[in-house]
Amino acid sequence: MYLSLREIIEVPGAFLPFEVEIAPEDLYFPSIERFSKPLYAKGEIINTAGVMNIVGHLSAEMVCVCDRCAKEFFSIKEMELNIPLAADLNDEENAEIFAVKGDEIDLSEILKTCFILDMETKFLCREDCKGLCSICGRDLSEGECGCVKPVDPRLAVLGQLLDIDD
Ligand SMILES: [Zn+2]
Ligand SMILES: [Zn+2]
């Protein structure tokens, strides 16, 4: 969604409210299976002494896949927005700042990018998920399976060394 900043770009103290639903179709992240509904964002673009910021709130509801047990789980992400915009961007190293082209920004693109950048690195169905047994595949959060794990070869060597010492 393109948003014109014409009315606030030259007016320090001015702000432009927005409320937007963003279709998540082209939003891809490995551990996200699907979105339950469009991303929702509400806030305003504020011109503070000539510097523009998107401030507000974004929420998303999604079905994720647990990194440990591969089970699907429902997750809600709430995100505070505070995104600086730059009118003329000559500082290309500053990737955190989004450029205003002319007097327009592509608000949904910016929000989608921030959403992905803010993503957790680990997706767990619960914090203490024990994952699956590497031998029988049982969900270890539901109980131990009794499989005997092969001994780590490094530990086996250590065992031999200890035997020699005896
Ligand atoms: Zn899990
Ligand atoms: Zn097992």
Side-chain angles (χ1 to χ4, degrees):
M1 186 188 97
Y2 282 92
L3 202 64
S4 168
L5 304 182
R6 202 176 313 122
E7 302 196 346
I8 64 164
I9 204 160
E10 305 284 359
V11 190
F15 62 94
L16 189 70
F18 67 84
E19 183 171 8
V20 63
E21 282 196 346
I22 304 164
E25 271 95 52
D26 56 343
L27 257 190
Y28 176 76
F29 199 80
S31 299
I32 300 175
E33 186 74 12
R34 62 185 173 271
F35 290 87
S36 316
K37 60 182 199 184
L39 306 189
Y40 171 79
K42 187 176 182 294
E44 49 209 22
I45 298 153
I46 304 177
N47 181 336
T48 308
V51 178
M52 278 182 295
N53 270 279
I54 303 174
V55 294
H57 182 89
L58 183 148
S59 63
E61 294 187 12
M62 56 216 178
V63 176
C64 304
V65 177
C66 178
D67 288 342
R68 288 195 192 138
C69 71
K71 219 186 284 172
E72 288 189 353
F73 64 100
F74 181 72
S75 174
I76 295 180
K77 184 175 169 65
E78 305 280 356
M79 192 180 154
E80 292 306 317
L81 303 172
N82 194 346
I83 308 165
L85 300 171
D88 31 1
L89 198 69
N90 29 35
D91 182 9
E92 287 197 358
E93 283 176 22
N94 204 339
E96 296 276 292
I97 296 183
F98 292 90
V100 181
K101 295 183 185 86
D103 55 13
E104 277 192 336
I105 53 166
D106 187 344
L107 184 62
S108 359
E109 255 338 285
I110 293 175
L111 294 178
K112 279 195 279 188
T113 305
C114 290
F115 173 78
I116 291 294
L117 289 177
D118 194 58
M119 205 50 83
E120 292 81 2
T121 46
K122 270 231 162 300
F123 285 76
L124 299 177
C125 61
R126 47 193 248 199
E127 219 164 293
D128 62 345
C129 175
K130 294 191 174 71
L132 304 177
C133 170
S134 55
I135 300 165
C136 71
R138 186 189 161 117
D139 184 347
L140 295 176
S141 300
E142 285 167 9
E144 288 297 323
C145 53
C147 290
V148 179
K149 295 263 158 63
V151 178
D152 186 320
R154 286 165 301 179
L155 291 181
V157 170
L158 192 67
Q160 284 166 13
L161 291 176
L162 290 175
D163 279 348
I164 293 166
D165 280 352
D166 285 346

